[in-house]
Amino acid sequence: MKKNFLPYNSQQIDEKDIKSVMSALRSPYLTTGPIADEFEKELAQYLGVKYAVVCANGTAALHLSMLALGIGSGDKIITSPISFVADANAPRFCGADVIFADIDPITINLDPQEVRKVLKREKNVKAIIPVHFAGQPCRMDEFNKIAKEFNLNIIEDGCHALGGSYIKDNKSVKVGSCADSLLTTFSFHPIKNITTGEGGAITTNDKNLYKKLRLLRSHGNTRNSDDFLMHDLSHTNFKQSKLLNPWYYEMQYLSHNYRLTDFQAALGKSQLKKLDKFIRKRNELSSLYDKLFEELDQKRILPLDNLFEGTHGRHLYVVRIPMNQLNGGRAKLMMDLLDDGIQTQVHYIPIYLQPNYREYFKEKLYFPFSEEYYKNCLSLPLFVGMTNKDVKRVVSSLNNILDKNWNPSSKKKK
Ligand SMILES: Cc1ncc(COP(=O)(O)O)c(C=O)c1O
């Protein structure tokens, strides 16, 4: 990797993180144990939610949420086409169907009005998964209203928005507080706002769901004697002595091994302490991008608007550029930026355009705002280790490359 290479996103690990992991590696427990319990408590406290359950990754968090709600064959789940494939895949893992609704073209989040249109047409919709795209919180007040009106559940995908917050009843609430939802899921993949290498979490204020999620995370097994159902197996002479069989555990649900290790949780604990600092830095860098693009006084690079009060989770910094007015389009632009040592990315290809989804849906789907957004979007480098100088370098390189390749007449030819 070139010395001055700028990735589009990257983890921020320091000596405290390394020490925390090393100390966990020296402890008697390696898999999910006391450090995972501590991480869960600290995460829940930070988010202002009653319970957090950590797990193997953000996809597992979505799948576990489906399992906890008993989603299965015949059920339908609505989500956004502009997200990572995991949001659409999770319902399908359980035999349920996924339905897409179009995005709001300004925030790029799932549009509550489009969801309403789907709900008028479809029966058996059990849940909606709004994704806080790029870290900008969704219109949770609207989704909460819809949930009540149509008697369904909201599972927020907070993977981009850990550390972000929005205003509810004049108070700031964190994404993950479940102030307007039943469950929220997170990922701790290295490019997310904090990392555990791989990892994820689910938050909720519902005690029963919390207990079920803890079981589902580990094969559906419990070792908690208060929860045992089969007393003839769990105890020796249950009626007389109530002597607990020390080897006994009980499988109450069919599930998977989605555990997080204690040394990953140790990294999570250490990273969580820095989350607010990380979010501040991500927001500062994003504001600098905004300012520099404004100063360029041009109409061809359009950052996403921020239309809300609160703290943006700032997982991504996305701009839209009319790519059909560029010689070589977005592919050449990305290659030219890479030649300059700047990595960019596209978030996301509308999920329904993936080959597996074309086969799944049989008929051709088309969501105009999702496709228009996809054609022109580009995620620029944004990570905590970036400097203001790096941001200036990206803006100047992007502008120079656009100058070289700008060809508005190419639009007409297409
Ligand atoms: C919005 C969103 N949801 C879910 C996931 C899945 O998380 P993981 O990669 O930890 O399985 C991701 C990760 O890229 C994501 O960006």
Side-chain angles (χ1 to χ4, degrees):
M1 208 183 281
K2 278 191 224 158
K3 208 174 164 208
N4 59 357
F5 176 75
L6 285 177
Y8 88 87
N9 216 328
S10 175
Q11 70 271 23
Q12 180 76 5
I13 300 289
D14 66 11
E15 280 309 310
K16 283 187 181 150
D17 295 321
I18 293 167
K19 259 194 182 155
S20 179
V21 175
M22 292 300 279
S23 130
L25 285 171
R26 290 193 182 98
S27 76
Y29 239 94
L30 282 190
T31 185
T32 318
I35 304 176
D37 287 346
E38 283 166 25
F39 182 34
E40 287 177 342
K41 285 203 181 84
E42 286 162 24
L43 185 62
Q45 195 177 18
Y46 172 86
L47 295 172
V49 68
K50 284 190 185 149
Y51 310 105
V53 177
V54 294
C55 61
N57 51 60
T59 306
L62 286 161
H63 189 191
L64 286 169
S65 301
M66 297 289 136
L67 293 170
L69 294 180
I71 302 293
S73 171
D75 295 337
K76 293 171 189 162
I77 310 292
I78 303 174
T79 194
S80 169
I82 300 296
S83 187
F84 186 55
V85 291
D87 286 296
N89 294 349
R92 292 176 63 202
F93 295 157
C94 303
D97 284 318
V98 65
I99 303 176
F100 292 110
D102 211 352
I103 55 164
D104 172 329
I106 296 171
T107 61
I108 319 303
N109 280 333
L110 186 63
D111 183 344
Q113 296 319 318
E114 292 298 315
V115 169
R116 278 183 183 279
K117 285 187 202 160
V118 174
L119 286 167
K120 282 191 184 131
R121 174 184 91 214
E122 297 282 349
K123 289 205 172 57
N124 295 330
V125 175
K126 291 289 157 61
I128 304 169
I129 310 178
V131 183
H132 303 289
F133 179 76
Q136 168 146 239
C138 292
R139 289 298 308 272
M140 290 314 299
D141 51 344
E142 293 291 328
F143 286 115
N144 197 346
K145 260 192 234 157
I146 292 175
K148 287 182 180 142
E149 210 175 306
F150 291 86
N151 189 28
L152 44 78
N153 294 310
I154 304 291
I155 303 161
E156 294 171 71
D157 181 336
C159 286
H160 291 190
L162 182 62
S165 59
Y166 62 97
I167 304 295
K168 182 179 170 68
D169 303 332
N170 298 319
K171 273 196 229 124
S172 170
V173 291
K174 287 246 157 59
V175 170
S177 65
C178 298
D180 288 295
S181 66
L182 192 57
L183 298 158
T184 308
T185 64
F186 292 106
S187 163
F188 305 129
H189 181 275
I191 59 157
K192 295 297 188 290
N193 290 354
I194 63 167
T195 187
T196 57
E198 294 284 350
I202 310 138
T203 59
T204 185
N205 289 306
D206 183 309
K207 190 171 184 183
N208 290 332
L209 276 178
Y210 162 69
K211 285 177 76 179
K212 191 169 175 186
L213 282 163
R214 287 194 44 119
L215 263 59
L216 288 167
R217 169 179 70 183
S218 189
H219 308 280
N221 285 348
T222 181
R223 283 186 183 277
N224 184 352
S225 58
D226 292 341
D227 295 334
F228 289 158
L229 303 172
M230 307 296 287
H231 293 137
D232 52 334
L233 285 174
S234 61
H235 291 75
T236 299
N237 295 329
F238 180 68
K239 283 200 180 118
Q240 288 130 38
S241 68
K242 288 204 171 30
L243 181 64
L244 183 67
N245 293 330
W247 67 86
Y248 189 73
Y249 62 90
E250 205 164 71
M251 179 187 144
Q252 298 184 344
Y253 303 101
L254 179 65
S255 196
H256 305 259
N257 175 355
Y258 280 156
R259 293 188 298 258
L260 186 81
T261 65
D262 253 19
F263 53 94
Q264 288 173 297
L267 181 54
K269 269 169 61 88
S270 164
Q271 288 261 300
L272 185 61
K273 290 195 184 89
K274 292 173 280 189
L275 178 54
D276 282 341
K277 203 170 82 189
F278 287 176
I279 295 295
R280 255 195 317 277
K281 182 71 191 283
R282 285 177 170 277
N283 273 299
E284 278 163 21
L285 294 167
S286 301
S287 301
L288 181 59
Y289 267 129
D290 285 347
K291 181 171 159 279
L292 294 175
F293 286 130
E294 211 177 301
E295 279 170 13
L296 280 180
D297 194 22
Q298 42 75 52
K299 299 236 169 348
R300 57 188 186 187
I301 308 167
L302 290 177
L304 289 188
D305 286 325
N306 305 316
L307 288 183
F308 81 108
E309 293 173 292
T311 306
H312 197 301
R314 284 294 177 203
H315 169 55
L316 300 172
Y317 188 87
V318 180
V319 292
R320 283 150 306 159
I321 296 166
M323 300 292 180
N324 65 353
Q325 299 189 37
L326 284 180
N327 287 331
R330 182 166 51 192
K332 181 168 181 338
L333 171 63
M334 288 177 77
M335 293 314 291
D336 287 353
L337 282 164
L338 205 56
D339 279 347
D340 250 359
I342 297 167
Q343 186 190 43
T344 52
Q345 209 18 301
V346 169
H347 297 93
Y348 291 94
I349 303 167
I351 300 174
Y352 60 85
L353 294 181
Q354 296 289 353
N356 179 274
Y357 274 89
R358 289 181 200 239
E359 203 183 311
Y360 169 77
F361 282 114
K362 308 284 186 291
E363 86 274 25
K364 197 170 179 297
L365 298 190
Y366 176 65
F367 293 94
F369 290 133
S370 296
E371 296 212 9
E372 185 58 25
Y373 163 78
Y374 165 61
K375 269 193 233 153
N376 298 322
C377 66
L378 193 68
S379 302
L380 304 182
L382 182 70
F383 54 94
V384 174
M386 235 179 136
T387 61
N388 288 356
K389 213 169 134 198
D390 293 330
V391 173
K392 286 179 192 156
R393 183 180 139 206
V394 175
V395 172
S396 139
S397 170
L398 176 61
N399 201 39
N400 290 340
I401 293 168
L402 289 183
D403 279 345
K404 276 188 217 137
N405 295 329
W406 192 245
N407 182 8
S409 59
S410 64
K411 183 181 168 186
K412 295 185 194 97
K413 282 184 244 148
K414 280 179 188 158

